[in-house]
């Protein structure tokens, strides 16, 4: 069975939920590891005060017994602490009493660059909040939790996945990131950046060239483009390959089927080739500006200034964690397709038998 992931939850609703299906039985899920990744997602320079409010404790509602998967759907839940301030505004049921707290007045001034206008028009919402609450990247918290589970599964076959920041606001070192962030904060503006995810230990043969939907490069690109604010993805040397000659671009094959270079980023023909998988994502500047951009009121049609709501100056470090989770999930899905198994031991044994067949050893 292929791995499946369904999530739900609004930014200021009661909770976020994720249902993970297709996991083998017998996988140990470490609560501290999930919460460590959730902590990493909340951290980072330039994030809004909301990150201090949310503790992101993960509750498991189904699929786990004594810390070990049962081979049944695994249901995770993260409560939004901030919901306490939005009880009337984000009440799932018709609210009782007079409008009170946050979200009580409708939002009618869509933010350029956010899902506000497109979402309100598409679904027929008079209150933009009905679109922005789900479009918000708050939901990435449960994706990070799912990614932590995926990393545990991958760890069983020696695959590790790690994400990091490459650039913030065009700056390439940490000091520069902080200065650029503070300058943008001072100007009441926002920044974007670039992150990189590297997966080590993936065996050759994950993904396939058989059809476009099977190609691991396409799947990883979709996984990263599925994250809010990601507007570009490159694998290996990516766009730079377009300016090279074939003799400069391709990674020559050495005895033992290893490569000295890895400009392909570990994927050829949509299939892992045994080298580290290297993939980058470009994040646009965040759309909520404290110095709002021009907009038009949905109700009156009059020009106005876009919604200003508590927001990050930049969230590139958070994106690195979310991107790591997305890549881990997609790699775990590809590994589960290749090695299968209802029990974790089947999955591990199938991986070992495959490495034996192709005579592939990490220390060769
Ligand atoms: C980790 C993370 C945090 C984000 N935080 C914010 C934020 O605080 N304010 C904001 O306006 N956008 C934020 N975004 C981006 C918006 O969610 C995103 O731009 C919006 O949903 C529109 O989608 P699009 O940019 O993919 O078109 C964040 C994105 C990520 C991945």
């Amino acid at each position: 069975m292929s791995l499946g992931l369904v999530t739900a939850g609004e930014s200021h609703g009661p909770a976020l939920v994720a249902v993970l299906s297709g996991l083998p039985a017998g996988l140990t899920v470490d609560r501290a590891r999930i919460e460590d990744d959730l902590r990493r997602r909340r951290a980072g320079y330039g994030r809004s005060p909301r990150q201090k409010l949310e503790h992101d404790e993960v509750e498991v509602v189904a699929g786990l017994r004594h810390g070990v998967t049962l081979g049944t759907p695994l249901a995770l839940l993260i409560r939004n602490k901030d919901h306490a301030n939005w009880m009337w505004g984000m009440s799932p049921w018709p609210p009782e009493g007079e409008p009170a707290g946050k979200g009580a007045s409708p939002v009618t001034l869509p933010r350029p660059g956010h899902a506000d206008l497109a979402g309100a028009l598409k679904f027929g919402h008079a209150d933009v909040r009905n679109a922005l609450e789900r479009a918000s990247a708050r939901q990435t918290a449960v994706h990070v939790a799912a990614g932590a589970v995926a990393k545990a599964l991958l760890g069983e076959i020696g695959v590790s996945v790690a994400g990091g920041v490459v650039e913030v606001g065009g700056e390439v070192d940490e000091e520069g990131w902080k200065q650029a962030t503070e300058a943008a904060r001072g100007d009441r503006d926002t920044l974007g950046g670039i992150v990189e995810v590297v997966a080590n230990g993936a065996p050759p043969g994950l993904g396939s060239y058989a059809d476009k939907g099977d190609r691991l490069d396409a799947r990883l690109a979709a996984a990263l483009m599925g994250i809010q604010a990601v507007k570009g993805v490159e694998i290996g040397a990516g766009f730079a390959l377009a300016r090279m000659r074939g003799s400069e671009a391709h990674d020559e094959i050495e005895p033992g089927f290893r490569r000295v270079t890895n400009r392909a980023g570990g994927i050829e023909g949509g299939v892992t080739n045994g080298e580290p998988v290297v993939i980058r994502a470009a994040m646009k500047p965040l759309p909520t500006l404290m110095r709002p951009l021009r907009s038009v009121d949905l109700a009156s049609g009059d020009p106005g200034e876009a919604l200003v709501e508590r927001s990050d100056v930049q969230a590139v470090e958070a994106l690195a964690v979310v991107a790591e989770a997305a890549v881990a999930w997609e790699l775990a899905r590809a590994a589960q397709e290749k090695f299968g198994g209802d029990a974790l031991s089947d999955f591990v044994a199938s991986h070992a038998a495959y490495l034996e067949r192709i005579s592939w050893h990490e220390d060769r």
Side-chain angles (χ1 to χ4, degrees):
M1 200 209 288
S2 181
L3 291 188
L5 175 61
V6 176
T7 71
E10 279 70 44
S11 180
H12 302 100
L16 305 163
V17 293
V19 178
L20 289 63
S21 57
L23 288 167
L27 176 68
T28 297
V29 175
D30 184 344
R31 185 178 190 163
R33 286 211 173 162
I34 298 180
E35 290 184 353
D36 198 42
D37 279 354
L38 290 169
R39 211 172 6 257
R40 288 170 59 219
R41 192 197 74 94
R42 290 197 305 278
Y45 215 73
R47 301 224 66 197
S48 87
R50 171 138 194 218
Q51 309 311 324
K52 292 198 175 66
L53 177 73
E54 298 295 349
H55 298 142
D56 289 350
E57 283 150 15
V58 71
E59 292 171 41
V60 179
V61 186
L64 200 68
R65 184 160 185 240
H66 302 169
V68 180
T69 56
L70 297 171
T72 50
L74 179 68
L76 308 178
L77 182 144
I78 298 173
R79 292 185 198 278
N80 292 319
K81 297 263 183 329
D82 203 10
H83 181 61
N85 302 313
W86 298 72
M87 293 298 270
W88 194 96
M90 287 303 295
S91 169
W93 296 110
E96 287 173 9
E98 291 303 307
K102 293 188 177 173
S105 336
V107 177
T108 56
L109 283 154
R111 292 162 295 177
H114 222 295
D116 299 0
L117 179 59
L121 294 176
K122 175 179 166 65
F123 291 100
H125 297 313
D127 184 351
V128 169
R129 181 154 308 282
N130 288 339
L132 71 86
E133 280 286 327
R134 178 64 185 160
S136 154
R138 171 70 188 145
Q139 56 165 293
T140 58
V142 276
H143 284 274
V144 166
V149 176
K151 284 193 286 181
L153 181 62
L154 289 170
E156 297 288 339
I157 55 168
V159 181
S160 61
V161 186
V165 175
V166 177
E167 285 182 24
V168 176
E171 299 289 336
V172 296
D173 65 74
E174 210 164 332
E175 197 51 41
W177 304 343
K178 287 185 178 168
Q179 278 173 11
T181 304
E182 283 319 306
R185 194 196 303 278
D187 294 340
R188 295 184 296 147
D189 217 325
T190 59
L191 296 175
I194 298 173
V195 302
E196 181 176 273
V197 182
V198 178
N200 283 303
L206 301 184
S208 179
Y209 42 74
D211 236 320
K212 63 181 181 182
D214 304 323
R215 293 181 62 107
L216 190 65
D217 45 5
R219 289 167 52 168
L220 290 171
L224 291 180
M225 288 292 270
I227 302 170
Q228 290 83 346
V230 171
K231 295 298 143 194
V233 174
E234 62 176 8
I235 296 182
F239 275 67
L241 289 169
R243 297 178 209 112
M244 294 180 195
R245 288 187 162 192
S247 55
E248 300 166 317
H250 301 300
D251 309 307
E252 289 184 299
I253 303 170
E254 303 231 303
F257 304 126
R258 301 313 293 248
R259 319 296 174 95
V260 176
T261 55
N262 185 23
R263 287 182 281 262
I267 301 178
E268 290 171 312
V271 185
T272 52
N273 64 8
E275 297 305 313
V277 174
V278 183
I279 183 162
R280 289 182 169 202
M283 184 182 215
K284 73 184 188 184
L286 303 178
T288 310
L289 273 67
M290 295 303 124
R291 187 184 55 191
L293 298 173
R294 286 186 299 149
S295 184
V296 170
D297 193 296
L298 271 182
S300 66
D302 294 338
E305 288 187 340
L307 166 72
V308 178
E309 185 154 292
R310 186 174 55 192
S311 186
D312 303 329
V313 177
Q314 56 94 355
V316 187
E317 283 165 87
L319 175 66
V321 181
V322 177
E324 173 185 305
V327 167
W329 182 262
E330 208 47 50
L331 279 179
R333 210 159 73 84
Q336 177 71 355
E337 282 163 17
K338 176 130 184 69
F339 304 120
D342 294 317
L344 180 67
S345 53
D346 300 340
F347 175 78
V348 171
S350 165
H351 170 260
Y354 170 69
L355 293 196
E356 198 57 38
R357 168 167 79 71
I358 64 169
S359 305
W360 187 266
H361 305 292
E362 270 310 309
D363 55 353
R364 55 225 240 106

